[in-house]
Amino acid sequence: MAKVCAIAVTFNPDLRKLERMLLALAPQVGRVVVVDNGSANVGEVAVLVASTSGARLLSLGRNLGIGAALNRGVDEARRELVDAVLLMDQDSVPSSTMVADLERGLEAASKGNVRGVAAIGPRFRDGVSGNLSRHVVFSRWRVGRVDCFSAEEPVAVDFLITSGTLIPVNALAAVGPFDEGLFIDHVDTEWVLRAGAKGFQTFGDCVAIMEHDLGEYRKRVWALRWREVPMHKPFRYYYIFRNSLWLRRQPHASSAWRRADATRLVQIFVFMLVFHPNRWTVFKMMLNGARDSLRGRMGSMGEAV
């Protein structure tokens, strides 16, 4: 079994959810590094981490963003001489075999793969609906889904969310650190696109599963059919639009991703203006994000989030 260090980033976490994640995760890995991004409840986080076997807390003191927190966690993991790092959100809960399943999948994907494996990720079960996700590829002007036909064979994918992603340290060394200027959104997208441009392939495992929710909450809306639309706090749409428009101009952004993301941005723009309870605040956040993208202004928006 490979030596795996998990990196979990926290920011004002729900302590009950964080405890569930740590209890499920700690027995599956050699070490858990919890990187706290300036949480108001960091004292309670510290107590919880101290009570978890194999876990340690790295407190950053302030919110440096997802990319910076992941990079600090990777630096800590490398001191443990690990083979791979597992990235986790504060409220994702892995199944009891998720890490072992990902390790098996990583080994299978590596056999005969001349491009090299950038990362492998699980499917996730929505904590609200109970639906099990399918893996993602970019198909023309939309995000397509990949079916799993064999439990033993991972599938090639174009995108993985941060949480649950297992990355070999040799891929991290070759691709480079996470982009800290993005702060929140598209940190995972940018790294995977950069890995692809460097010749690495990303995979999804068909057995590994974790519980994970997209968005702060869901709203059921009618738009030609009933849809469950993830809703975020208004400030997140600043980062979504700024970082998407910035990433579109980068040389490693594939044309397939650009097409799919263009459709996604249009959908978000329309859906949020129609259905978000704070639609005008969201509208301003989108415009501010687009403006700052053109100015090249990255990093934190400068507001308490």
Side-chain angles (χ1 to χ4, degrees):
M1 180 179 293
K3 292 176 63 178
V4 176
C5 177
I7 302 168
V9 178
T10 55
F11 179 68
N12 296 334
D14 181 313
L15 295 175
R16 291 174 298 178
K17 291 182 178 180
L18 180 60
E19 182 178 27
R20 285 187 63 213
M21 186 270 284
L22 290 174
L23 289 175
L25 180 62
Q28 301 187 53
V29 296
R31 171 75 70 177
V32 180
V33 177
V34 177
V35 186
D36 186 78
N37 245 335
S39 295
N41 58 347
V42 65
E44 291 90 341
V45 172
V47 171
L48 183 56
V49 172
S51 67
T52 304
S53 177
R56 60 163 302 202
L57 177 67
L58 177 60
S59 178
L60 301 183
R62 62 191 182 94
N63 190 358
L64 299 180
I66 297 293
L70 291 175
N71 287 336
R72 304 304 185 277
V74 168
D75 290 342
E76 289 293 311
R78 281 177 167 154
R79 295 188 180 98
E80 303 284 336
L81 300 178
V82 299
D83 299 315
V85 296
L86 176 74
L87 312 182
M88 291 294 296
D89 286 354
Q90 63 191 22
D91 53 2
S92 299
V93 181
S95 72
S96 61
T97 63
M98 187 192 81
V99 178
D101 291 332
L102 289 175
E103 288 181 305
R104 173 201 45 74
L106 181 61
E107 183 178 357
S110 300
K111 291 179 180 178
N113 191 302
V114 295
R115 295 184 63 189
V117 178
I120 189 168
R123 302 169 73 187
F124 61 88
R125 191 177 301 279
D126 188 282
V128 176
S129 67
N131 293 333
L132 189 61
S133 70
R134 295 160 65 195
H135 290 301
V136 169
V137 293
F138 303 132
S139 177
R140 296 185 179 180
W141 290 91
R142 63 184 180 86
V143 172
R145 307 295 174 179
V146 181
D147 290 318
C148 289
F149 296 104
S150 169
E152 302 301 320
E153 292 296 327
V155 293
V157 299
D158 292 328
F159 172 74
L160 292 172
I161 64 171
T162 302
S163 194
T165 297
L166 182 69
I167 306 178
V169 291
N170 61 349
L172 274 170
V175 177
F178 298 95
D179 192 312
E180 300 184 8
L182 295 171
F183 201 72
I184 299 178
D185 288 279
H186 279 323
V187 172
D188 41 17
T189 310
E190 190 278 333
W191 192 89
V192 169
L193 289 173
R194 185 162 21 112
K198 289 178 178 287
F200 287 83
Q201 178 63 60
T202 304
F203 289 87
D205 190 76
C206 293
V207 178
I209 295 174
M210 71 177 182
E211 182 182 313
H212 179 77
D213 295 333
L214 290 175
E216 278 85 23
Y217 66 97
R218 299 292 187 90
K219 187 169 185 177
R220 193 165 186 257
V221 303
W222 174 260
L224 301 179
R225 61 179 175 84
W226 285 108
R227 305 168 187 261
E228 294 284 337
V229 179
M231 296 283 176
H232 298 284
K233 293 176 182 176
F235 79 90
R236 284 288 301 277
Y237 297 97
Y238 167 87
Y239 291 108
I240 290 170
F241 272 72
R242 185 196 69 179
N243 294 353
S244 281
L245 295 175
W246 174 86
L247 185 51
R248 294 180 68 83
R249 302 196 300 273
Q250 305 312 304
H252 54 277
S254 68
S255 58
W257 174 80
R258 289 190 181 102
R259 290 192 298 269
D261 192 63
T263 300
R264 174 177 174 265
L265 288 180
V266 170
Q267 289 175 333
I268 291 173
F269 186 83
V270 173
F271 279 25
M272 294 309 109
L273 288 187
V274 174
F275 299 113
H276 200 287
N278 298 306
R279 58 179 61 88
W280 294 116
T281 302
V282 169
F283 178 67
K284 292 177 183 177
M285 289 292 103
M286 293 175 183
L287 291 184
N288 289 342
R291 177 201 63 198
D292 283 353
S293 172
L294 294 174
R295 293 176 175 177
R297 184 184 185 277
M298 305 301 285
S300 172
M301 182 174 62
E303 295 185 11
V305 296

